[in-house]
Amino acid sequence: GRWRLDFAGGTLSHAVLTATDGSSSHYYLTYTVTNGMEEAREARIRIELRTDTDKTYRDRYDAAVVAKAEKNLKKEGLSSTFGLRKEALESGSAKEAIAVFGELDPDADELEVRVYGLWDPIYRDLKGRTWSERRVLVLKYERPGDEYRRTEAGWRISKRVEEKSYVFNPPEF
């Protein structure tokens, strides 16, 4: 069968970083990736965040945000997505990690966290044809309130969906 990794998204939160010119909120998502397959697998995932204001934020490593998140969550040893990609996940194992997106558009009311690389991209149909499958896990978040009055509750997940698209790979002669 085809391999896949399971992804459990945690809370979308923010860390307030203070600098000489003021403070800023840097958003992050904690998550757990689990390998339920019988063999070790590399977690070659990529995560991005898109807003309803047409902005895209790629997951990037930020040591200050990771340290603040670990302190806020009372956890140690959160791996970055890049760090997670460097090692294989053993069969049946799980790894906690963090995706850091930085400062987000303050006008955004809806977010999509898009996770790529959780599934085997090669698909063979019953006729023996080979396809490339692009499957993306999409976690949709919304913020209660409006532009005049934001609630303190923060972002909440509203939907979890998988998007799929296929490209036929003709045989090479």
Side-chain angles (χ1 to χ4, degrees):
R2 295 173 63 198
W3 63 264
R4 77 168 277 162
L5 300 172
D6 294 317
F7 184 94
T11 304
L12 181 64
S13 191
H14 69 279
V16 177
L17 301 181
T18 306
T20 55
D21 58 347
S23 62
S24 56
S25 290
H26 294 258
Y27 285 80
Y28 63 88
L29 174 72
T30 55
Y31 62 91
T32 303
V33 175
T34 305
N35 178 8
M37 305 303 293
E38 294 179 7
E39 297 177 11
R41 290 280 167 213
E42 292 180 3
R44 297 211 171 165
I45 63 173
R46 179 173 59 89
I47 303 174
E48 67 183 22
L49 183 145
R50 294 182 185 173
T51 69
D52 59 342
T53 56
D54 286 331
K55 300 220 168 53
T56 301
Y57 302 87
R58 303 231 187 297
D59 173 18
R60 59 185 174 72
Y61 180 73
D62 186 323
V65 175
V66 172
K68 193 79 152 185
E70 287 180 335
K71 183 178 177 186
N72 292 346
L73 300 167
K74 297 176 177 56
K75 291 185 179 184
E76 290 183 12
L78 286 176
S79 179
S80 67
T81 303
F82 179 74
L84 189 65
R85 292 174 59 122
K86 294 192 303 184
E87 57 190 62
L89 264 116
E90 295 300 320
S91 173
S93 70
K95 184 79 173 174
E96 279 190 285
I98 185 170
V100 178
F101 304 108
E103 295 181 74
L104 300 184
D105 183 350
D107 296 326
D109 292 316
E110 296 175 0
L111 306 175
E112 284 186 356
V113 173
R114 303 176 65 81
V115 185
Y116 303 84
L118 294 171
W119 292 270
D120 181 359
I122 305 300
Y123 169 70
R124 289 178 183 78
D125 65 18
L126 296 174
K127 295 181 181 179
R129 297 177 295 189
T130 303
W131 300 78
S132 290
E133 178 185 54
R134 182 177 188 157
R135 190 181 294 199
V136 181
L137 175 64
V138 181
L139 305 172
K140 296 187 180 202
Y141 290 83
E142 55 188 31
R143 179 169 34 192
D146 59 25
E147 64 269 20
Y148 303 108
R149 186 171 166 169
R150 302 275 188 219
T151 66
E152 293 299 317
W155 295 95
R156 67 175 182 234
I157 192 159
S158 61
K159 191 184 263 187
R160 178 185 169 111
V161 296
E162 292 178 13
E163 293 179 357
K164 300 177 190 176
S165 61
Y166 299 92
V167 175
F168 177 62
N169 294 330
E172 295 180 23
F173 297 101

